[in-house]
Amino acid sequence: MSRLQVVSGKGGTGKTTVAAALALALAREGKRTLLVEVEGRQGIAQIFGTEALPYEERKIAVAPGGSGEVFALAIDAERALLDYLQMFYKLGSAGRALKKLGAIDFATTIAPGLRDVLLTGKACEAVRRKDRAGRFVYDHVVMDAPPTGRITRFLNVNDEVAGLARFGPIHNQAQAVMKVLKSAETAVHLVTLLEEMPVQETADGIEELRQAGLPVGRVVVNMVRPHHLDEDTLRAAAEDHRAGVAQALSRAGLGGARRGGLAERLVDPLLAQAAEHAGRVELERAQRAVLAGLDVPAYELPLLGAGMDLAGLYELAKELRKQSVGE
């Protein structure tokens, strides 16, 4: 299992929720996982119901079963650049003065490639970090990354900084980052729904990642709704068996099946719902066929009817474990 798990997806597919559930699922049997946020939205804090995350790694959850730990970090590009300047140039208080003057914000704005190097670099550093005994500090690092439309450019930092620095510390940093991102240590997962637009964006994203030489992990099909009707019932709904439905309702004690009776009045809304369900099932089948053609393994996560809360997040983590995450 790759040590850096990058999670992307079209907006609205629940990529941050999936990233958080994946971090919990990976923190099993005493393992430690770092969940990293790079977009400045504090989405991780909202999901776990905590205060805004500072620019430091802190324990945020205990994995199901209590044997593993999840830490979280909200990476800030300005703070990461200050760390970088201190590491390579020993600027110290001069770096803080640059921040007050707005130079740090200016640098990360006019050179987005530099910003991405700093953000990805911080995550890659956590992947490689070891303690005094030579053991990895984190068994896995999970990155809640930008959406699918920007993920390849965000990760392909070597190309992004090629025109900015062809040698020196920035160039070397980009090379070190790409060494991790294009290795077996990394897997890029794309989150989708069984809907046409997110599935198409997932297919496009996988193609872009492959062309860039970045390692594609899995497709995570999120918010999968159950199929309540069997095949025979779906066919019956499509064929509009009004009389048979009215008689079945009458036998169930819901009034007479005669015209105008309660059972007869229930037929139209029931058939409408059944037809809608049948249409959705057919649409989902078509999108599953598209995903199957991508030749990428998949995880599936159910739609939780009560909405997403911390209990729901743990439920999704358990579902991922059932699908052999981390093994």
Side-chain angles (χ1 to χ4, degrees):
M1 187 72 175
S2 302
R3 298 191 60 249
L4 175 58
Q5 310 280 323
V6 180
V7 180
S8 181
K10 179 177 169 58
T13 59
K15 71 176 180 65
T16 299
T17 298
V18 170
L22 180 60
L24 281 170
L26 290 169
R28 58 195 302 165
E29 298 172 1
K31 295 187 181 297
R32 292 159 53 97
T33 300
L34 177 64
L35 178 58
V36 174
E37 180 180 276
V38 298
E39 293 186 279
R41 295 184 297 107
Q42 289 293 336
I44 293 173
Q46 293 175 30
I47 288 176
F48 283 94
T50 67
E51 60 185 17
L53 295 173
Y55 182 64
E56 63 182 37
E57 296 159 23
R58 62 168 48 179
K59 184 177 175 179
I60 196 171
V62 175
S67 61
E69 298 175 320
V70 177
F71 292 75
L73 170 66
I75 303 177
D76 176 84
E78 290 188 10
R79 291 289 301 274
L81 181 52
L82 285 174
D83 287 350
Y84 177 85
L85 293 174
Q86 173 61 22
M87 182 182 301
F88 287 103
Y89 299 103
K90 310 299 181 185
L91 289 186
S93 60
R96 291 189 292 273
L98 288 173
K99 178 176 174 62
K100 289 181 180 179
L101 291 171
I104 302 298
D105 181 60
F106 179 73
T108 55
T109 300
I110 65 169
L114 172 60
R115 180 180 182 277
D116 292 348
V117 168
L118 295 167
L119 295 174
T120 54
K122 190 72 175 177
C124 290
E125 181 275 325
V127 171
R128 298 189 302 258
R129 192 189 313 158
K130 294 183 178 180
D131 59 20
R132 293 181 178 178
R135 297 172 301 212
F136 286 114
V137 172
Y138 295 109
D139 297 286
H140 297 282
V141 176
V142 178
M143 180 194 294
D144 178 21
T148 313
R150 295 196 293 116
I151 187 62
T152 300
R153 184 174 181 180
F154 174 76
L155 294 176
N156 204 20
V157 294
N158 195 45
D159 288 348
E160 290 300 303
V161 301
L164 180 66
R166 298 185 182 278
F167 53 86
I170 294 177
H171 172 78
N172 294 338
Q173 173 77 350
Q175 292 284 321
V177 167
M178 289 311 302
K179 185 176 181 180
V180 173
L181 293 180
K182 289 193 173 184
S183 73
E185 287 187 288
T186 300
V188 184
H189 309 298
L190 298 183
V191 182
T192 187
L193 307 178
L194 288 175
E195 298 173 4
E196 186 174 358
M197 287 186 64
V199 166
Q200 184 58 54
E201 190 162 313
T202 298
D204 293 342
I206 289 173
E207 179 61 25
E208 291 177 2
L209 288 167
R210 285 171 171 167
Q211 289 182 359
L214 291 162
V216 177
R218 289 179 179 255
V219 170
V220 182
V221 184
N222 195 24
M223 297 187 236
V224 176
R225 290 176 285 190
H227 293 171
H228 298 293
L229 303 179
D230 59 30
E231 293 296 325
D232 291 339
T233 306
L234 288 174
R235 281 194 296 271
E239 295 169 2
D240 195 9
H241 289 277
R242 295 180 54 82
V245 173
Q247 292 171 4
L249 291 172
S250 179
R251 289 195 298 271
L254 295 175
R258 65 187 181 281
R259 183 174 297 278
L262 176 59
E264 200 272 342
R265 294 198 304 272
L266 290 173
V267 170
D268 284 341
L270 283 174
L271 285 176
Q273 288 187 21
E276 180 183 352
H277 181 75
R280 176 170 62 81
V281 169
E282 189 59 33
L283 173 64
E284 291 178 352
R285 282 176 177 165
Q287 299 312 310
R288 284 186 186 278
V290 174
L291 292 174
L294 300 177
D295 194 27
V296 176
Y299 296 132
E300 287 202 4
L301 293 174
L303 173 67
L304 300 181
M308 182 50 59
D309 55 15
L310 195 56
L313 191 63
Y314 274 84
E315 185 175 337
L316 293 181
K318 290 179 181 178
E319 184 62 34
L320 284 171
R321 282 193 175 187
K322 290 179 183 178
Q323 298 177 50
S324 301
V325 165
E327 293 183 354

